[in-house]
Amino acid sequence: MKKLALLCMIAPAVFSCGGGSGSDIYGAYDTVLVGVTSLLPPKVNSDTIVWVDTNPNSNTEPCGMSFYDDAINIKIKSETIKNSAGQPVTPNPSPVYFDSYRIIWSSAVSNNACEGAPECKQIFATPFAQLTSITVPPDSEVELDGLVVALASWKSSVLSQYCVSSLDNCIYNAILELHGREVLTGKEKVIRASFNIQFADYNQGNACGAGQCPQDSTTCVKP
């Protein structure tokens, strides 16, 4: 706790030590401080079914269903650790390499329809783990777009059955954990950030090109 308090005093402008939009825990490696400084969107609206136009040349035809992965965009910042005099603790600060990440889930509400169905609940009972490859040089900020947090296969097989309406309250709190290793020292550390995700069949509006595939409809109606 003393070390954490000291680091908060040393680098208050770089990392939040108490909380704030998406990131409240950072990694103190041997030579650098590293943290997630931005996570977008902070709330993911995950569409469990996307209705698509199966025949663009026809005015009226059956709607088709499609399913997509969901992803977030993050920024990771590194800054050389400084001593009480404001000087770097080392003349040779190290890059940090992140080789994997995982997401730990917890239901955000008590009446979550997914949690009431065993096959749906099972998806979120264990962390979602993936490999990645991110190198953050010292005293720099790296932006990573398209970090996958939910799979299309979950939706096509299960979520589309239980998370149809926003009233189903399929809402989860998620903790993103990134495993990093300081390249020059071998120091390993996990940094964390948080976000929220809700699964539902959202109305896409123009899923059928110039027309629409109304929710809960199997027909694409064009003007």
Side-chain angles (χ1 to χ4, degrees):
M1 289 298 294
K2 289 182 179 179
K3 183 177 181 181
L4 177 59
L6 176 60
L7 291 173
C8 287
M9 289 187 292
I10 293 172
V14 181
F15 305 112
S16 169
C17 296
S21 58
S23 177
D24 60 0
I25 304 174
Y26 61 87
Y29 293 84
D30 285 341
T31 67
V32 292
L33 293 172
V34 181
V36 177
T37 56
S38 173
L39 187 154
L40 296 172
K43 180 180 179 182
V44 179
N45 289 332
S46 176
D47 205 349
T48 53
I49 303 173
V50 177
W51 298 100
V52 296
D53 189 352
T54 57
N55 186 357
N57 297 319
S58 174
N59 288 331
T60 303
E61 73 278 340
C63 289
M65 290 188 296
S66 191
F67 308 91
Y68 298 99
D69 294 342
D70 295 302
I72 56 174
N73 302 327
I74 63 172
K75 291 181 181 179
I76 306 175
K77 188 170 185 177
S78 168
E79 182 171 279
T80 302
I81 296 174
K82 297 179 174 62
N83 59 27
S84 58
Q87 299 301 313
V89 296
T90 174
N92 192 28
S94 176
V96 174
Y97 176 72
F98 293 92
D99 59 8
S100 61
Y101 68 93
R102 69 174 189 167
I103 297 170
I104 302 172
W105 310 96
S106 62
S107 180
V109 294
S110 59
N111 57 341
N112 185 329
C114 184
E115 292 293 294
E119 64 268 39
C120 196
K121 181 178 181 179
Q122 182 59 35
I123 292 175
F124 303 100
T126 55
F128 172 57
Q130 296 282 283
L131 298 177
T132 190
S133 179
I134 311 165
T135 298
V136 183
D139 298 308
S140 67
E141 187 172 54
V142 171
E143 185 171 357
L144 178 66
D145 294 338
L147 191 73
V148 174
V149 297
L151 298 178
S153 59
W154 300 352
K155 304 173 188 182
S156 60
S157 61
V158 176
L159 293 178
S160 57
Q161 302 177 49
Y162 299 101
C163 303
V164 178
S165 165
S166 59
L167 298 178
D168 291 321
N169 290 312
C170 296
I171 308 171
Y172 287 87
N173 295 321
I175 301 296
L176 169 67
E177 294 190 339
L178 294 129
H179 175 265
R181 176 177 54 85
E182 205 169 43
V183 176
L184 300 181
T185 69
K187 173 80 170 185
E188 296 185 356
K189 197 81 174 180
V190 171
I191 65 171
R192 298 177 177 88
S194 61
F195 64 97
N196 188 264
I197 187 167
Q198 181 168 12
F199 298 92
D201 180 11
Y202 293 96
N203 190 345
Q204 294 295 302
N206 292 322
C208 284
Q212 291 186 339
C213 284
Q215 272 189 307
D216 303 321
S217 172
T218 58
T219 303
C220 181
V221 181
K222 296 184 179 180

